[in-house]
Amino acid sequence: MIEHPDSRIRVLVAESFELVRLGLRSLFENHANINLVAETHKIQDLFNLAEQHKPDIILMDLLLSGNDYVEHVAQLLRTCPQSKILAFSNYNNEQTHLRTFRSGVAGVIRKSHSTDLLIKAIIAIHKGHLWFDRNITKLLWQAQFDSDPAAEIKPQTDASTSQQPRLSDSERHVAHLACKGLSAKEIGAQLSVTEKTVRNQLSSIYRKTGVKKQIELCLKAPLYDYFKESCLIGTFIPKDS
């Protein structure tokens, strides 16, 4: 039985090293759920290929962009808003990863990880989840406080009620599910409300907690008592990494 290409996840690879591209090509060509639509080692070609093929996932080597990866991610998302970017990283620096996920990528995976984990990341992102492994998540979460020398991580038992954002019961339910990595559509289905309602509540939650994105909410969640059971256990954070 021949798999119809349209039913597979369409991936565009932008990778600096030929040997890595060869390995990825072999991996994807032999995978039933992934269709490698194009590959390149030049940042200049990446935008043309992305616009031409409109892939589901762009696996983008951060080294390809030098220090301009934030600008290039933003440009890619403007060119192909339907595509999701999975950053392929050699770095283990919290500031680099903070800048990367804030630029709009759907996830970061390090090149030292296994091919099985890479496939899981691609599939999870295609389903609408975010993907940050536990090591990167720890760095990102710690960096939230390192950026402010006066900030101090206090034990949960010392947190006063006044320090907790005042969320309504419905907002708490939405926040709880968001911290598990569910998309707005999935949250709406679980709570029997519309996706628009969920997005409106998420906007309110982000404003009250001082974050801009879902992953930032998950990283900040350990500070709040009522998120304690849900934080950092979402499907976008692989438990076997």
Side-chain angles (χ1 to χ4, degrees):
M1 179 178 176
I2 300 176
E3 180 91 18
H4 194 286
D6 290 344
S7 65
R8 295 182 289 170
I9 303 171
R10 304 173 70 255
V11 175
L12 167 60
V13 168
E15 164 58 43
S16 305
F17 296 103
E18 182 180 9
L19 284 176
V20 178
R21 292 198 309 276
L22 287 172
L24 292 171
R25 187 188 309 162
S26 176
L27 174 67
F28 295 151
E29 285 179 349
N30 291 292
H31 198 281
N33 296 323
I34 294 178
N35 177 24
L36 178 62
V37 296
E39 60 181 75
T40 183
H41 66 285
K42 296 181 180 180
I43 192 66
Q44 296 90 341
D45 294 336
L46 175 56
F47 301 105
N48 292 332
L49 289 172
E51 190 170 12
Q52 176 184 347
H53 293 282
K54 295 180 173 54
D56 300 310
I57 305 290
I58 298 174
L59 182 60
M60 179 181 174
D61 177 13
L62 293 184
L63 292 177
L64 205 68
S65 292
N67 292 324
D68 298 324
Y69 54 87
V70 171
E71 292 78 8
H72 289 155
V73 166
Q75 185 177 344
L76 271 176
L77 292 175
R78 287 194 301 269
T79 302
C80 297
Q82 75 287 341
S83 299
K84 297 173 182 177
I85 300 175
L86 174 59
F88 210 24
S89 174
N90 268 330
Y91 302 111
N92 193 32
N93 178 278
E94 63 270 16
Q95 292 303 322
T96 297
H97 291 137
L98 276 171
R99 290 186 69 208
T100 302
F101 93 78
R102 283 173 175 165
S103 70
V105 301
V108 175
I109 188 166
R110 286 178 290 149
K111 294 185 180 182
S112 58
H113 280 151
S114 68
T115 55
D116 286 345
L117 207 60
L118 174 60
I119 295 296
K120 287 180 181 179
I122 290 172
I123 292 173
I125 288 173
H126 185 248
K127 289 181 178 179
H129 299 295
L130 302 172
W131 186 276
F132 294 87
D133 68 46
R134 288 191 179 277
N135 291 329
I136 291 177
T137 301
K138 182 179 179 181
L139 291 173
L140 293 172
W141 187 76
Q142 184 63 51
Q144 303 292 318
F145 305 96
D146 291 343
S147 60
D148 181 3
E152 180 181 357
I153 304 176
K154 297 182 179 181
Q156 281 298 136
T157 54
D158 292 341
S160 66
T161 304
S162 62
Q163 293 175 311
Q164 306 290 314
R166 294 183 178 180
L167 304 183
S168 67
D169 288 341
S170 61
E171 287 173 342
R172 291 189 184 193
H173 288 311
V174 169
H176 176 85
L177 294 174
C179 285
K180 289 188 174 183
L182 273 66
S183 66
K185 184 177 182 180
E186 291 170 326
I187 294 172
Q190 286 210 19
L191 300 180
S192 300
V193 296
T194 66
E195 183 177 350
K196 182 178 179 181
T197 297
V198 173
R199 293 192 181 280
N200 288 338
Q201 289 187 320
L202 283 172
S203 295
S204 176
I205 292 165
Y206 295 164
R207 184 179 67 257
K208 291 179 179 179
T209 55
V211 303
K212 295 181 179 180
K213 297 181 180 180
Q214 184 179 0
I215 184 63
E216 291 185 82
L217 178 67
C218 297
L219 295 173
K220 204 169 183 179
L223 295 180
Y224 307 139
D225 293 334
Y226 43 78
F227 291 161
K228 189 175 181 181
E229 297 301 320
S230 61
C231 64
L232 301 183
I233 58 173
T235 56
F236 58 91
I237 300 172
K239 297 180 180 179
D240 56 349
S241 62

